[in-house]
Amino acid sequence: MRALDRKLLRDLRRLALQAVAIAALVACAVALLVGSVATYRALERSRARYYDTHRFAQVFAEARRVPEPVRERLAELPGVATLETRVVGGATVTVPGSGEPATARVLSLPPGEPQLNVPYLRAGRALAPGALDEALASEGFAKANALAPGAVLDLVVNGRAQRVRVVGIAISPEVVYAIRPGDVFPDDRHYGILWLPREALEAALDLEGAFDEVSLQLAPGAREEAVVAAVDRVLAPYGGLGAYGRGEHVSHRFLTDEISQLKAVAAALPVIFLGVAAYLVSLVMSRLVATQRQQIGMLKAVGYGSGEIGLHYAKLVALVAGAGAALGAAGGAALGHGLARTYADFYRLPVLVFEGDVGVVALAAALAVGGALAGALGAVGRAVRLPPAEAMRPATPPTYRRSALERLAGARLASPGARMVLRDVARRPARAALSALGLAFAIGILVVAFFAGDAFDVMFLRVMVEGQRQDGTVTFTHALAGDVEAELRALPGVRRVEPFRAVAAVLRSGHRTHRTPLLGVDRDAALTRLVDGDGAVVPVPPAGIVLSKKLAEILGVVPGDALEAEVLEGRRPSLRLPVVATVEDYLGVQATVDRAHLGALLGEGALVSGAHLAIDPRHLPEVQAELRARPNVAGVTLRAAAVAAFRALIAELLGLYLAVIAVLALTIAAGVVYSSTRVTYSERERELATLRVIGFTRGEAWRLLAGEIALHVTAAVPAGFLVAYAFVAYTASATSTDLYRLPTTIARPTFATAALVVASASALVTLVALRWIRRLDLVEVLKSRE
């Protein structure tokens, strides 16, 4: 074994705990990167296999009462490979043993196996040929309501009571994220999907010999845009709402956005963690080179070249980082599998395709080792450049005199020990700043791990408390004319009614488009309001449109610009609307206009798509029962159920991920605190030994070290807050989608908790330093530089 290799092993043994701390940081970063990438790739593969095996359609279109012979015209369109028509409706559902009403989307199934969007049976059996009273229930709805094959459900479809028997529990690629129209979160207890025989559903909806939805599979090489345009032309006479591709399918978009956010997290957080690890390597290596300058000089004097010396320290860093990367790769694989399983269960994917990704592991390891080497570059460079003669001399001691820090602190009133602490900090400001910066990074990482809870609290406050204040929302099967408001207000217990109009539309600005409903609300609406990120209520203008900031960003418009709204209903007019304001909302994206103005633009008068209701809690069951019995009611949503769905989603989907991030952040923070304290001790080791020789007790020497570390922590707290804001802003920006956006809000308790954790950890390690001082070999330390 070469002499430098033996020195390498000795250095590793002497720096064992610091090496472990750095390796732990690297392992956390690598585990997060490998785990995040493995998770979203597993979801992508699982989704692709599910879509493929169950023939998820590529183009969808809705219309009203389309005669079945039109099917042949659609099938003959160029680019169409497979086509399936069906009838679709809404139903209110009475679940046995539950006093709460539910709604369902009822989909028809043809006799035999469908060509597209094939349900996957989780339990029970498929619908029997000719059995018109059978149904399949979606898995989420069945689980939330304890339904099993054999359960009987009472439905009201198109105002007609109907009893069906559940024979199977199923999932489908078109409803991996089953939400009620207009909702953002699934509410499995109150909303589900039911598949009924087509013959039975046609009879219930008065759609014999007709269909109102069509799904298409494209032929190889077909252009989606061309097929969409052709389908629109065919369905236009039947009130077609505009065909759209899979990319705009609601369920697919939610799953895709989730995968996109996982990708963003995989790119954002490991960068932060690796950056901190690189900084820590820089700190430790700088100290190591400074303490070994005489060894470096001796090695060069006996013939070792500068390149060999530099390679020696680079190998030390690579070994530590490589060990951390190996540990992180193994942990990342386990983390990825656990997270992928959680997401697959949430989205009810029937298979989880989790494959080991050697390329990601290699990339993560290369980034970790490369980042660590980059962090050590400065220290290694100093070792390479150090001339032998200069290296063999002890470093020039600093000039000690009264510093500005002492004068600022009123040194005459301070004890000699306090003056020594202040003077040492003032003489080596760079060293003190680097130590404080390391602790600040630890605070920042902890805040990033904890801030998601604050962000969701703000989202809940702005959306569920300040924005949506209704007790319930009723939606209709189609837009209604007449005095709907008066009819609803006449129901017992209804205290306020606020109608709204939702119109399917495509918003366009230049080459940018986005498909979203135009939502018409009254300007004096009080039950639902547009609430900005700071809590201010944004009024609905008498003319023009108010957009979510995210939607404005997608369309590339700002207040003062104008956009085109291609309405997909009625006469399908194209409206030019000026953008009056934007709203920093956090859930979904909205395009809001004044309801009266929208009605005038559409030339349809005061049509109503639904209404928000304020209901006396004592009369809530009566109002629900009354609305459920009406044939034109598509569904009734209770705010309390929406609140419960919001909280359940956070707990179920994000709880595990946030817990993992918190554990990794705590590990990193502990590593940073230990390494910073250890480096500070190492740098003052000789001074502390000298103080012990001239008569200072162990406790007095320790208090000097503890005082300096306390100053580092004090400086780190405000710096940590700045670092935390930067980390949080970066994370929130990287994970922003049109599904939801995290507000860059950090609550004071989160700051306080992060600072307290770092201060407590520093205090604990400082107490350990008392043991280091007790074991200090005074002769060895003092003679080492003689």
Side-chain angles (χ1 to χ4, degrees), residues 359-382:
V360 176
V361 173
L363 175 63
L367 287 175
V369 175
L373 288 173
L377 195 59
V380 173
R382 284 194 293 277

Side-chain angles (χ1 to χ4, degrees), residues 482-507:
D483 199 351
V484 177
E485 184 175 352
E487 290 183 25
L488 293 173
R489 193 181 296 112
L491 295 175
V494 173
R495 295 184 296 199
R496 186 180 176 92
V497 179
E498 291 183 356
F500 62 84
R501 177 76 171 109
V503 183
V506 174
L507 305 184

